[in-house]
Amino acid sequence: MTNPWLAIPLTDYEGHMASPAVGQAEMLANEFEALLKSYAPKAVALVGCAGGNGFDKAAEAGVTRLVGIDINAGYIADAKNRYADTIPGLELHCADIQGDMPDLQAVELVYAALVFEYVDVPVALRNISRLCRSNGLLAVLLQLPKQGADAVTPSSFASLKELSFIMRLVPPGDLVHSAEAAGFASLSQKTITLQSGKQFSLQLFRLTSSCPQDAEAISAARGHDPT
Ligand SMILES: C[S@@+](CC[C@H](N)C(=O)[O-])C[C@H]1O[C@@H](n2cnc3c(N)ncnc32)[C@H](O)[C@@H]1O
């Protein structure tokens, strides 16, 4: 099955996120801004960056290297048109976070907002652990379930409906387990509630060790047992 994200026009996605019933675009950018203010990283990556929601916050906060990654080449092209001239140090990559990722220089903060709902979590975390510097931070924003409500809020943008076939809400506790297996230690968690009543979990992790599978591969290459 083709990934539905590849068939959703950016105008539909952004129209949906900004619509009053959804109202999530601003919250996602504001949470990113708060992280930038708290930790002042110079090199940052947004995984599942769409058209660059929040990129302006990074520029204002003095980020000197901003990496945007998204599976949809059209989104990446639009983000480039919007920001390439105004954000120095912008690197945009069309890539699948659960597939073969380009070999990128690691960053101090990775922000992954509403993307784990669409990927194989352990696989994506393994890739993200390679994108994150040792002792670097990973901030993950997850959607929480709301009783009696569709996971994808109905809106006038019909193309978004296809997402319900692949979207899986990730329990925050499951994310912690998978993140720990990928070498991250959990630092904090907070719940965000929108006016609509929809809730989100923002979880912060620090990369404390390289991915165990990487460690095994490195040890095997050196000819000794990692344990
Ligand atoms: C719900 S949107 C979140 C967008 C963004 N974080 C924001 O602030 O609006 C999910 C984004 O993740 C991207 N995405 C989905 N699966 C992906 C994958 N496997 N690898 C990279 N990006 C992916 C989609 O194309 C989309 O832009």
Side-chain angles (χ1 to χ4, degrees), residues 32-41 61:
F32 181 48
E33 183 178 32
L35 288 162
L36 296 173
K37 283 190 174 149
S38 297
Y39 298 99

Side-chain angles (χ1 to χ4, degrees), residues 3 5-6 10 13-14 17 24-25 28-29 46-54 69-72 75 95-99 101 111-115 117-120 163 166:
N3 189 322
W5 277 110
L6 301 179
L10 186 59
Y13 170 65
E14 292 185 338
M17 292 296 273
Q24 290 169 28
L28 297 176
L46 275 90
V47 173
C49 66
N53 184 28
I69 298 169
D70 204 282
I71 196 169
N72 186 313
Y75 295 0
D96 182 349
I97 192 65
Q98 56 187 344
M101 287 280 292
Y111 184 53
L114 300 184
V115 66
E117 286 80 357
Y118 306 100
V119 297
D120 180 317
L163 290 178
I166 60 161

Side-chain angles (χ1 to χ4, degrees), residues 99-226:
D100 288 334
M101 287 280 292
D103 199 11
L104 301 175
Q105 210 186 327
V107 299
E108 292 153 69
L109 169 70
V110 178
Y111 184 53
L114 300 184
V115 66
F116 276 100
E117 286 80 357
Y118 306 100
V119 297
D120 180 317
V121 173
V123 174
L125 279 165
R126 221 174 295 138
N127 277 332
I128 289 173
S129 73
R130 293 183 191 120
L131 182 60
C132 195
R133 270 186 208 167
S134 173
N135 277 319
L137 296 168
L138 164 65
V140 179
L141 201 139
L142 297 174
Q143 182 178 323
L144 297 174
K146 185 180 172 209
Q147 234 182 357
D150 295 330
V152 181
T153 306
S155 71
S156 56
F157 300 98
S159 62
L160 273 286
K161 287 190 188 130
E162 293 298 310
L163 290 178
S164 55
F165 296 112
I166 60 161
M167 186 188 195
R168 299 279 171 272
L169 296 185
V170 181
D174 289 5
L175 179 71
V176 169
H177 285 134
S178 300
E180 285 173 354
F184 291 95
S186 181
L187 294 183
S188 64
Q189 186 275 340
K190 74 169 182 176
T191 301
I192 300 157
T193 306
L194 292 185
Q195 265 186 350
S196 61
K198 224 169 182 180
Q199 291 194 309
F200 302 84
S201 169
L202 179 66
Q203 288 162 263
L204 190 64
F205 300 91
R206 187 178 292 287
L207 187 67
T208 53
S209 60
S210 59
C211 182
Q213 290 194 357
D214 285 350
E216 278 169 30
I218 292 164
S219 294
R222 287 182 185 149
H224 54 75
D225 188 335

Side-chain angles (χ1 to χ4, degrees), residues 75-106:
Y75 295 0
I76 290 293
D78 284 339
K80 190 174 179 189
N81 286 338
R82 288 173 178 173
Y83 298 104
D85 290 344
T86 51
I87 300 187
L90 182 63
E91 270 177 44
L92 292 167
H93 302 274
C94 177
D96 182 349
I97 192 65
Q98 56 187 344
D100 288 334
M101 287 280 292
D103 199 11
L104 301 175
Q105 210 186 327

